[in-house]
Amino acid sequence: MKAVLQRVSEAAVTIEGNKVADIKAGLLIFVGIEDADTQEDIDWLAAKIVKLRIFNDADGLMNLSVQDVNGDVIVVSQFTLHAATKKGNRPSYIKAAKPDAAIPIYEAFVKQMEKELGKDIQTGKFGADMKVSLLNDGPVTIIIDTKNKE
């Protein structure tokens, strides 16, 4: 699994003109799933994200997690995170899992995030044409790949 985390002051997801997710301070997480992903990847990634200290403390240092600041979270599926761009000018998405494999992993990740965070999170809609708006705070953007843990 690959994830792109953006610390946000606000974020929203709109599908066909309808706002389906809307948060204030917290994280907007784009997640890409590949066929090799397992429950171990889900558990590790959710725990890592919830504990990652990327929010400012009283001294302005990044010492607090999204859990510490009681931040909100939106998770959006994004298969394009697995784009291979080495050859040619048209990205290949061969590593991205097909929907029948990816949807259960995505849903399990959302549930695990809720369990780790201790509250409900918001989502986009898997496979939908989504319009995502955000106000990146910092800017802080972190990329995590569960296949590159060390």
Side-chain angles (χ1 to χ4, degrees):
M1 295 176 77
K2 288 186 181 178
V4 174
L5 288 60
Q6 296 199 16
R7 186 178 77 181
V8 297
S9 298
E10 60 186 58
V13 178
T14 303
I15 301 172
E16 296 179 359
N18 298 313
K19 194 174 284 188
V20 298
D22 188 15
I23 64 169
K24 294 300 180 197
L27 290 175
L28 172 61
I29 303 169
F30 296 102
V31 63
I33 299 158
E34 63 181 82
D35 287 326
D37 292 330
T38 66
Q39 187 65 46
E40 181 181 329
D41 293 295
I42 293 165
D43 295 344
W44 182 87
L45 184 59
K48 175 62 88 174
I49 290 170
V50 169
K51 294 178 181 101
L52 201 61
R53 298 182 332 180
I54 59 173
F55 288 84
N56 294 350
D57 63 14
D59 296 323
L61 301 174
M62 288 197 288
N63 279 326
L64 302 175
S65 70
V66 67
Q67 193 169 42
D68 294 333
V69 299
N70 195 31
D72 292 323
V73 174
I74 296 176
V75 175
V76 175
S77 63
Q78 189 172 357
F79 75 94
T80 60
L81 293 180
H82 288 290
T85 58
K86 189 173 183 178
K87 292 177 17 179
N89 293 319
R90 184 179 191 152
S92 169
Y93 304 105
I94 194 85
K95 288 185 78 177
K98 302 287 185 269
D100 60 330
I103 290 171
I105 293 171
Y106 171 75
E107 291 173 348
F109 174 71
V110 169
K111 284 188 170 94
Q112 189 64 30
M113 281 293 299
E114 289 178 334
K115 181 180 173 186
E116 293 282 342
L117 194 57
K119 67 180 192 177
D120 290 342
I121 64 170
Q122 297 183 49
T123 66
K125 182 178 177 196
F126 191 96
D129 180 14
M130 295 175 270
K131 306 303 178 208
V132 180
S133 61
L134 67 132
L135 182 56
N136 192 309
D137 180 16
V140 175
T141 302
I142 308 286
I143 301 169
I144 302 174
D145 186 341
T146 63
K147 305 301 187 250
N148 193 16
K149 295 176 193 165
E150 298 174 17

